[in-house]
Amino acid sequence: MLASCAALPGRGPSSSELSAKDIEGGLNSEDYFNFKLTPTVAEIAGRYTPTRFADYFGIKGTEPRQRIGVGDVLSVNIWEADEKGIFSTSYGKKTTVQTSVDDTGRIFVPYAGRIRAAGLSVEAVRQTVEQALVGKAVKPQVQIIVTGNQTNSAVVVGDVHKAGKYPISVAGTRLLDLVAEAGGARGKTYETEVTLKRGDRKASTLLEDLIDQPRNNVRLVKGDNILLTTKPRSFTAFGAVRQTTLKHFPTETVTLAEALALVGGLDDLSADASAVFLFRFEEPEVVARLSPKDQHKLSDFPVPVIYRLNLREAKAWFVARYFHMRDKDMIYVANHPTAELGKFLRIIQPALAAARASQLIADDLDD
């Protein structure tokens, strides 16, 4: 009878099955890491904010100067020292010429001719135009303003209020600047994912991570494409909990304690409070801090990690209170070993009751 307990249906393995040496001793196998959820571990992993986005797209050193490109629209202001000059008018000694960079990379300025502009800075083009007018205009002074910046621009699309192509300022435009210029995100910041594609490289982060970690708010360069997507975060709960379900984050942050409460807590009849597990793909830098001796085994990819919490310890409740959940986390509460015996006894109880009733009837007949 007791041997048949192993064949009973269940919602997952018991704590005894999850307490083998490969689960209890730090690095359990070549496939995953395991850590007991202590205050130190919770501080490192539970409150981690990723900065790999910044490291991936960060521009180090001096920012390159913007260059004029094909399609840019320029305003060329020309002053002369004499009111009888070729650019002087009845209103003053200044003339403004609107021009654009053609497909050959040149602009046309009267009396200066076709001037190469594509690939040059505004100052270089200004000097070229001014030099070309010497001997034709009276002591010319030239100013060039880029009024239509088509080359040095970035595109933002997706869940924003005003998707479009926006110019990058000469002073430098950061990612949040462009999102704000596009009217901001339609969704909640903690549910909005920002994807930046630059050439062949692409990376994503949450919109709130651009605010929480200023390093993530990287400078944009021409040709950047930004996509904002609303992606509600969620976690799943399995095993000996009152609700085996998928739950969306109701607020910006959800702690492990709050996550357990959202699924109704542990099942009183079957749960082992000492065997609460959280499964997650962890960032390599977090695992490196939790287990420095295994740093050489890590790569650039997320690492499968199991965190174990023993709620029979009073301090564990405080740890659960400030350990922050992340998107796609999985919680598993193991069954208590004695729960299988109780389940078996409940199954055979009707048969035992029937046998007892038959025995009582037989005793009555004998009397």
Side-chain angles (χ1 to χ4, degrees):
M1 291 171 61
L2 293 177
S4 65
C5 289
L8 292 174
R11 289 175 288 184
S14 67
S15 59
S16 61
E17 294 172 298
L18 288 172
S19 296
K21 290 181 180 180
D22 63 334
I23 289 278
E24 294 292 339
L27 177 59
N28 309 300
S29 74
E30 296 179 355
D31 299 323
Y32 59 85
F33 284 77
N34 170 66
F35 302 103
K36 182 179 179 181
L37 202 48
T38 63
T40 301
V41 171
E43 182 65 27
I44 294 174
R47 296 177 178 269
Y48 167 76
T49 302
T51 57
R52 298 181 70 189
F53 185 85
D55 297 335
Y56 200 58
F57 287 113
I59 304 173
K60 298 179 173 59
T62 304
E63 294 296 322
R65 292 183 300 172
Q66 288 192 6
R67 303 291 175 176
I68 296 173
V70 174
D72 286 350
V73 179
L74 308 180
S75 288
V76 182
N77 297 319
I78 305 171
W79 286 269
E80 290 188 274
D82 194 324
E83 60 184 13
K84 296 181 180 180
I86 58 176
F87 292 104
S88 298
T89 67
S90 58
Y91 300 100
K93 302 176 183 179
K94 170 196 167 186
T95 293
T96 298
V97 177
Q98 295 286 343
T99 185
S100 60
V101 184
D102 61 23
D103 55 0
T104 67
R106 290 177 169 81
I107 60 174
F108 174 75
V109 178
Y111 299 101
R114 290 169 54 80
I115 305 294
R116 171 164 292 279
L120 300 177
S121 66
V122 171
E123 175 59 21
V125 176
R126 187 199 70 78
Q127 292 179 8
T128 301
V129 173
E130 192 172 272
Q131 186 63 35
L133 291 175
V134 172
K136 301 173 183 177
V138 182
K139 297 182 180 179
Q141 297 290 313
V142 176
Q143 177 190 47
I144 293 181
I145 301 174
V146 179
T147 56
N149 195 342
Q150 299 297 317
T151 304
N152 298 286
S153 59
V155 175
V156 57
V157 295
D159 294 329
V160 293
H161 288 91
K162 296 185 296 182
K165 188 175 184 179
Y166 292 90
I168 297 174
S169 168
V170 176
T173 299
R174 294 187 179 273
L175 187 50
L176 273 178
D177 299 335
L178 201 67
V179 172
E181 196 169 351
R186 293 181 181 273
K188 301 173 182 176
T189 58
Y190 63 88
E191 291 182 344
T192 301
E193 184 179 80
V194 181
T195 301
L196 173 60
K197 190 174 190 304
R198 178 175 297 170
D200 296 330
R201 297 185 297 167
K202 181 173 72 172
S204 301
T205 190
L206 288 175
L207 182 58
E208 66 174 7
D209 289 339
L210 301 180
I211 301 171
D212 295 340
Q213 289 290 332
R215 284 181 57 199
N216 287 331
N217 189 22
V218 298
R219 289 181 179 270
L220 299 176
V221 300
K222 66 178 183 179
D224 279 352
N225 294 301
I226 299 101
L227 172 66
L228 269 68
T229 310
T230 301
K231 290 186 176 181
R233 294 182 293 169
S234 63
F235 69 92
T236 49
F238 304 94
V241 291
R242 292 186 182 275
Q243 298 178 34
T244 301
T245 184
L246 179 147
K247 285 285 186 181
H248 291 291
F249 283 34
T251 56
E252 180 177 353
T253 59
V254 174
T255 65
L256 178 54
E258 291 169 339
L260 290 171
L262 287 171
V263 297
L266 278 58
D267 189 325
D268 294 338
L269 299 178
S270 60
D272 185 350
S274 66
V276 177
F277 300 90
L278 186 137
F279 297 78
R280 153 186 306 174
F281 280 95
E282 193 62 89
E283 295 295 333
E285 49 263 43
V286 175
V287 179
R289 292 182 60 189
L290 294 175
S291 183
K293 69 181 188 313
D294 297 308
Q295 188 170 359
H296 65 283
K297 301 177 181 179
L298 303 175
S299 64
D300 292 333
F301 299 98
V303 183
V305 171
I306 302 174
Y307 296 104
R308 176 169 180 163
L309 186 68
N310 182 2
L311 290 178
R312 295 188 183 278
E313 300 175 351
K315 64 181 180 180
W317 292 93
F318 296 98
V319 174
R321 188 173 179 269
Y322 67 84
F323 182 85
H324 288 190
M325 300 285 291
R326 290 202 216 128
D327 188 28
K328 301 300 182 291
D329 276 354
M330 294 186 295
I331 298 174
Y332 176 75
V333 179
N335 294 313
H336 196 280
T338 59
E340 302 304 322
L341 177 59
K343 187 186 300 181
F344 176 73
L345 293 177
R346 287 195 297 274
I347 291 175
I348 67 172
Q349 186 175 3
L352 295 175
R356 177 60 177 165
S358 299
Q359 183 62 42
L360 292 175
I361 293 173
D363 291 343
D364 291 339
L365 291 177
D366 290 341
D367 293 343

